[in-house]
Amino acid sequence: MTLAAQRILIIGGGFSGMSAAIELRKHGADVDLVEIDPEWRNYGAGISLGGATLRAFRQLGVLDAFLQQGAASDGVQLRLPHGQPIGELPTPRIAGPDVPGGGAIMRPVLARILADATRASGATVRLGCTFTSIEQDAEGVEVRFTDGQRQRYDLVIGSDGLYSKVRGALLPDAPRPAYSGQAVWRAVLPRPDELKTITMWMGGAVKPGVNPVSADELYLFVTERRPTNDHVDPATFADTLRALLAPFPDPMLQALRAQISPASQIVFRPLEGMLVRGDWYRGRVVLIGDTVHATTPHLASGACIGIEDAIVLADELARHASVAESLAAFQARRYERCRMVVDNSARLGQIEMEGGDKDEHAHIMRTSLMALAQPI
């Protein structure tokens, strides 16, 4: 199959960059991927994934590995702070009747699955390397690298994350990441036998939840309001997280709370978001994933829409004769879906922080999940 661009560089080896390499290699592209981290690490605890993400995994060819090494389940259980069940959110089986509607996995495990698939695809991976300059003309892009190499490409894909260096070079007037007023805590704990699917506790400004990430582990996530984005001393992480869970008497949650320690792989992250509301490309350079649409986790779809970007970009490059046509079609397919996730996630966070209208919250959740279930 002839692609509009045959020689392609991907800058950034995160989830979206690796997915782009995997998909483009299926179409026969000659792909280089450069990643600044010489050890290709992915930090964090668990990551919750919806059915649309599992559908994308099936397209990439990594669904079986996810099901073997992560955890998949149907529905989201909702409880009051004392533990009374108050309902269940359905999670349609978007990836197929044989695949549960959602799941979770440890971030480093998912990164390893995608890295193995990237290497197996035949993409050339260079670690500890990034670009120093990008210069393009009508026929191609010349890139100089930190290892002294200079290469010419038909297309460059920037996928280097929320604080993207490529975005700064390509779109110097693009918005900067903005703090939302919320932060999330995550920790890894043993999975109790009774935990079958993601479970969340409804209450005030602090919202905890747990999600299985394997047969014997779960990850705990706790969202809290923090009006200012102040530094939190890691030495206080365990005590602070336990204190946040003190108002929730549910025996299962309290049993988990008692196990929190400095060894629980606790991660604290202020929640930031950012959306580039114009074109995501200039000439033969295009941005995907968090470089252009970083979202808070309220719809559990940040990784999803970045991976989908990669799939759609490869698809459009295979459909059109020119890079310009391909990138315009990519933008047209992706912008509204990604805008919806970023804006609706931000609004859900505002409602939570303000103790706002629960009906509006439910409506946004329902309509967003229905939209995500649609084909990409």
Side-chain angles (χ1 to χ4, degrees), residues 136-348:
Q136 60 175 312
D137 53 43
E139 303 301 323
V141 189
E142 186 167 294
V143 183
R144 294 177 183 269
F145 296 95
T146 52
D147 62 3
Q149 292 192 42
R150 182 174 65 184
Q151 301 282 349
R152 189 169 175 83
Y153 298 92
D154 301 322
L155 177 69
V156 173
I157 301 170
S159 59
D160 53 338
L162 181 61
Y163 293 95
S164 168
K165 184 180 175 183
V166 185
R167 184 183 67 233
L170 188 71
L171 306 174
D173 296 326
R176 296 180 177 274
Y179 177 57
S180 69
Q182 281 184 306
V184 66
W185 297 80
R186 296 183 174 99
V188 181
L189 297 166
R191 174 181 175 178
D193 292 339
E194 65 268 28
L195 181 65
K196 305 301 182 185
T197 189
I198 181 172
T199 301
M200 300 176 66
W201 285 262
M202 302 295 101
V206 175
K207 296 187 180 301
V210 291
N211 204 353
V213 290
S214 68
D216 53 9
E217 287 185 319
L218 62 82
Y219 94 95
L220 165 74
F221 52 94
V222 181
T223 304
E224 66 158 335
R225 182 175 185 179
R226 278 186 172 259
T228 57
N229 187 7
D230 299 323
H231 173 73
V232 180
D233 184 353
T236 68
F237 278 5
D239 288 341
T240 303
L241 184 52
R242 283 193 296 265
L244 288 170
L245 295 177
F248 294 83
D250 186 331
M252 182 172 75
L253 195 52
Q254 285 303 307
L256 292 171
R257 174 176 175 259
Q259 299 178 72
I260 295 171
S261 75
S264 300
Q265 302 180 51
I266 301 171
V267 176
F268 168 78
R269 183 166 75 88
L271 297 182
E272 297 176 298
M274 184 275 299
L275 176 66
V276 174
R277 297 186 184 270
D279 288 344
W280 299 343
Y281 62 94
R282 295 288 187 275
R284 291 174 172 266
V285 183
V286 62
L287 306 176
I288 67 173
D290 283 353
T291 63
V292 281
H293 51 68
T295 179
T296 58
H298 296 83
L299 289 171
S301 297
C304 176
I305 55 176
I307 293 169
E308 288 180 349
D309 282 353
I311 293 170
V312 171
L313 180 58
D315 185 44
E316 293 299 339
L317 286 166
R319 287 175 184 266
H320 299 280
S322 72
V323 169
E325 291 174 311
S326 300
L327 297 187
F330 163 76
Q331 178 90 25
R333 280 178 67 181
R334 293 307 297 158
Y335 181 79
E336 179 55 28
R337 184 176 177 89
C338 297
R339 183 213 60 78
M340 180 274 296
V341 169
V342 173
D343 287 350
N344 287 7
S345 296
R347 180 57 187 154
L348 290 171

Side-chain angles (χ1 to χ4, degrees), residues 41-53:
R41 292 164 291 188
N42 190 284
Y43 298 98
I47 178 172
S48 292
L49 307 167
T53 317

